[in-house]
Amino acid sequence: MGCYKYMEELWRHKQSDALRFLLRVRAWEYRQRNRITKLSRPTRTDKAHRLGYKSKQGYVVVRCAVRRGGRKRQNHRGMVWGKPKHQGINHLKFERNLQSVAEEKVGRKYANLRVLNSYWVNQDATMKYYEIILVDPSHAKIRNDPRINWIVNPVHKHRECRGLTSAGRKSRGLRKKGHRANGIKGGSYRAAWLNRNVTKLKRYR
């Protein structure tokens, strides 16, 4: 087995003594730092490389902390001037997952870079920590690399805000294939519904 295989195996056993100790110490360190911190190298090298990271110019890794828990509705004093159905304040959940929220936070801060992917690194009682892989679309090393220069195309600006990253696609329910994906044929469940419920009549029939 190669080195990365051992690292992958180590990260798979998160309740082992070694990893529990490492995560506890790192969580303390992350709490002292800023919410969004640029790193010199990824914490999980094996995971970063599996998600498209390369150790060369044009790639940036940023760690982001996101507060855990549901999303309380922003109503003054919790008063909703409407029907009882809409009066819930506390037990509401945000539509997207925390990982995609982390990607969006970082994408807004580093607006000149493109979000490629992200992965979990740590969590404690109040925070979850993710590392986000960013790519510089104006760097010559990126523009000349046929494996990654697809991201230079302007349609990939702020892909994290439009649910096009892996975490974003997960919250849209698009991580399916085969017969399980019948409900999302055409790109989304709305597209599938429209396809089934609209009668298409050809002009010459």
Side-chain angles (χ1 to χ4, degrees):
M1 288 201 303
C3 158
Y4 281 176
K5 204 69 184 166
Y6 282 109
M7 287 174 72
E8 183 188 346
E9 204 57 35
L10 189 68
W11 272 96
R12 200 169 276 168
H13 296 99
K14 292 182 178 65
Q15 289 197 324
S16 64
D17 288 353
L19 216 58
R20 280 173 69 180
F21 174 74
L22 261 180
L23 291 174
R24 193 166 76 242
V25 172
R26 281 178 183 163
W28 175 85
E29 184 198 342
Y30 295 167
R31 280 198 295 275
Q32 317 310 314
R33 301 279 175 96
N34 294 335
R35 293 279 179 93
I36 297 177
T37 313
K38 193 155 85 69
L39 309 174
S40 56
R41 60 174 63 84
T43 307
R44 299 176 63 181
T45 325
D46 59 321
K47 184 72 170 172
H49 278 277
R50 258 180 293 155
L51 296 178
Y53 172 79
K54 299 276 183 211
S55 179
K56 68 177 196 178
Q57 292 173 331
Y59 285 86
V60 181
V61 179
V62 175
R63 184 177 59 245
C64 179
V66 190
R67 191 169 288 279
R68 296 173 66 176
R71 183 186 178 278
K72 188 176 177 181
R73 183 172 281 157
Q74 301 292 307
N75 281 84
H76 180 58
R77 291 183 176 176
M79 289 185 288
V80 181
W81 305 103
K83 295 188 168 66
K85 174 187 169 67
H86 299 115
Q87 281 174 354
I89 297 294
N90 281 328
H91 292 246
L92 305 173
K93 312 292 180 286
F94 187 48
E95 191 84 3
R96 288 183 293 127
N97 52 42
L98 293 180
Q99 188 171 344
S100 82
V101 172
E103 288 177 351
E104 186 181 344
K105 280 177 183 286
V106 170
R108 286 187 194 284
K109 175 150 182 165
Y110 297 87
N112 61 323
L113 305 179
R114 305 273 159 87
V115 173
L116 179 63
N117 225 319
S118 63
Y119 53 91
W120 178 94
V121 280
N122 210 328
Q123 68 186 51
D124 56 23
T126 55
M127 293 296 200
K128 280 201 178 195
Y129 300 94
Y130 295 97
E131 283 182 9
I132 289 90
I133 303 163
L134 300 156
V135 178
D136 184 357
S138 54
H139 200 292
K141 284 280 197 302
I142 299 298
R143 296 177 85 87
N144 296 333
D145 184 351
R147 286 198 191 90
I148 192 64
N149 65 5
W150 55 269
I151 209 164
V152 173
N153 199 316
V155 298
H156 295 296
K157 286 179 183 178
H158 290 291
R159 40 201 304 270
E160 73 285 349
C161 294
R162 297 176 288 133
L164 301 180
T165 58
S166 183
R169 285 171 58 80
K170 184 181 183 182
S171 64
R172 288 165 61 201
L174 299 181
R175 273 204 199 160
K176 294 188 176 79
K177 284 186 175 180
H179 71 275
R180 290 183 185 85
N182 285 340
I184 52 166
K185 271 184 183 172
S188 68
Y189 74 89
R190 286 190 186 87
W193 180 88
L194 199 67
N195 211 19
R196 290 197 190 94
N197 289 277
V198 170
T199 308
K200 297 185 187 74
L201 301 174
K202 290 186 177 178
R203 184 179 173 194
Y204 298 109
R205 60 185 190 274

